[in-house]
Amino acid sequence: VRNLINITDLSVQEIDKLIEVADDIVKNHNKYENICAHKKLATLFFEPSTRTRLSFEAAMLELGGSVLGFSSANSSSAAKGESVSDTIRTVGCYADIIAMRHPKEGAPIVGAQRTTVPIINAGDGGHFHPTQTLTDLLTIKRKKGRLSDMTIGVCGDLKFGRTVHSLIEAMLRYDNIKFVLISPVELQVPDYIKESMNKAGVLWTEVESLEEAMPMLDILYMTRVQRERFFNEADYIRLKDSYILDLEKLETAKKDLTIMHPLPRVNEISVEVDDDERACYFFQALCGKHIRMALILLLLNIQV
Ligand code: CP
């Protein structure tokens, strides 16, 4: 059984193939509309979600399959004290594949040990979010035509931002990638991510100023300050508006900058930026459905 817990569970060749299938799904939609008939996806979301859960569900429905699941811990027997292990073992009797989001880091690994159906990590605490990274890679490939030779600025909450951790881990495997890590000192990337970058030998710098970084960037990946992971509300309030991207800040940016954000945004990108042709975050949300369709096919071992 194949699971997707970390983005590195997929080889670069497999990611290339997923991107190829995602593009083919757009071009030849009819070919895929019944390919998952009689297959069931369970979406088990112990934490809130709009894009990840609904794009997974839309993906399975567009492949001709069915969906079941819950969208909060409170609406499942977790509220009565059931363990993740028992929940996954049970749902594995009902579904062919499971996408799960949980506030505890490593919960999908525990789940994967208790079932024989594929488990997809749809976000585990402040750790990883591999299907967001697949979404991001498809977006970058569609916008830039390549996944190598670029300077990527990641900005905001790099400590708790699981999308950033997975994106960095993924991009380490492509040629000539440079990272500019833009965050307040308190929200810098964890040491294990820095160790990965050092081990891979990529160039990276840490800065606090978005303005300083802007002119050198090919990709600007904005992130939300993750309120739900703070222990202290006062710290959140102090840090939440550290970066607000607006049109003025974009004046020094490259003309072909790609502005990304996993969403939801709170205040870190002004709505005036949405109409700038470099803003790609809603396109990114659409890419999420296409790549999740491709991923479901891969993990269900359905040949295309
Ligand atoms: N990008 C992302 O994970 O969004 P949701 O929290 O809405 O799923």
Side-chain angles (χ1 to χ4, degrees):
V1 173
R2 285 295 301 273
N3 302 305
L4 178 61
I5 308 295
N6 294 337
I7 191 66
T8 47
D9 293 339
L10 294 168
S11 68
V12 169
Q13 291 73 23
E14 284 174 318
I15 290 174
D16 287 347
K17 179 68 181 172
L18 288 173
I19 289 173
E20 189 187 311
V21 172
D23 286 340
D24 193 54
I25 282 167
V26 174
K27 283 194 208 107
N28 299 302
H29 200 265
N30 293 351
K31 185 175 137 191
Y32 295 89
E33 62 189 12
N34 271 315
I35 199 164
C36 281
H38 311 298
K39 297 288 186 191
K40 292 189 282 294
L41 164 75
T43 51
L44 310 185
F45 278 64
F46 298 84
E47 265 194 350
S49 167
T50 295
R51 275 145 295 274
T52 311
R53 184 172 68 83
L54 296 180
S55 66
F56 261 120
E57 295 185 359
M60 190 48 144
L61 293 172
E62 289 194 28
L63 293 168
S66 310
V67 295
L68 62 156
F70 52 80
S71 57
S72 73
N74 283 342
S75 61
S76 77
S77 284
K80 301 181 220 164
E82 186 169 55
S83 66
V84 170
S85 295
D86 287 358
T87 302
I88 298 298
R89 188 168 178 175
T90 304
V91 176
C93 303
Y94 310 144
D96 300 290
I97 184 167
I98 296 172
M100 67 174 284
R101 170 172 289 186
H102 198 281
K104 285 207 178 113
E105 301 185 355
I109 298 174
V110 174
Q113 288 163 352
R114 300 309 301 259
T115 184
T116 54
V117 305
I119 295 281
I120 302 169
N121 177 8
D124 61 327
H127 199 208
F128 289 128
H129 192 349
T131 67
Q132 179 63 48
T133 299
L134 291 174
T135 299
D136 300 340
L137 296 178
L138 178 62
T139 306
I140 294 170
K141 187 73 194 299
R142 285 178 173 175
K143 286 290 169 186
K144 295 285 190 213
R146 65 185 193 279
L147 290 170
S148 56
D149 304 304
M150 62 185 82
T151 299
I152 303 174
V154 286
C155 178
D157 184 350
L158 310 187
K159 179 179 181 182
F160 298 116
R162 57 194 175 196
T163 64
V164 167
H165 305 159
S166 287
L167 180 64
I168 291 174
E169 293 278 2
M171 296 306 295
L172 293 177
R173 299 190 288 180
Y174 296 94
D175 291 335
N176 195 25
I177 298 294
K178 299 186 190 80
F179 292 107
V180 184
L181 310 177
I182 308 151
S183 73
V185 171
E186 296 99 316
L187 297 179
Q188 288 177 350
V189 292
D191 286 344
Y192 70 90
I193 298 293
K194 291 180 184 173
E195 280 162 24
S196 292
M197 290 189 290
N198 289 338
K199 203 169 153 196
V202 300
L203 293 176
W204 61 276
T205 53
E206 273 179 326
V207 298
E208 282 189 68
S209 162
L210 176 56
E211 288 86 341
E212 185 189 325
M214 190 68 84
M216 63 183 107
L217 304 180
D218 299 299
I219 306 274
L220 172 58
Y221 195 96
M222 297 295 295
T223 63
R224 174 178 67 92
V225 175
Q226 307 266 307
R227 182 182 201 158
E228 63 274 33
R229 316 242 180 260
F230 276 68
F231 291 111
N232 180 333
E233 180 72 2
D235 283 346
Y236 168 72
I237 293 191
R238 183 168 51 82
L239 293 167
K240 72 183 173 67
D241 290 328
S242 298
Y243 303 99
I244 300 175
L245 181 66
D246 56 20
L247 291 176
E248 193 183 334
K249 289 201 184 72
L250 281 170
E251 277 173 14
T252 60
K254 290 185 179 175
K255 295 284 172 257
D256 64 347
L257 175 71
T258 299
I259 305 167
M260 300 175 67
H261 191 310
L263 303 177
R265 79 172 141 189
V266 180
N267 200 29
E268 56 281 351
I269 302 181
S270 299
V271 289
E272 65 184 15
V273 175
D274 296 359
D275 294 330
D276 190 294
E277 62 184 17
R278 293 169 289 189
C280 295
Y281 26 93
F282 289 105
F283 175 70
Q284 201 176 341
L286 174 65
C287 291
K289 184 182 70 170
H290 300 150
I291 203 75
R292 288 182 175 105
M293 290 171 83
L295 179 67
I296 288 168
L297 294 173
L298 173 74
L299 296 185
L300 287 177
N301 206 14
I302 294 174
Q303 303 302 321
V304 294

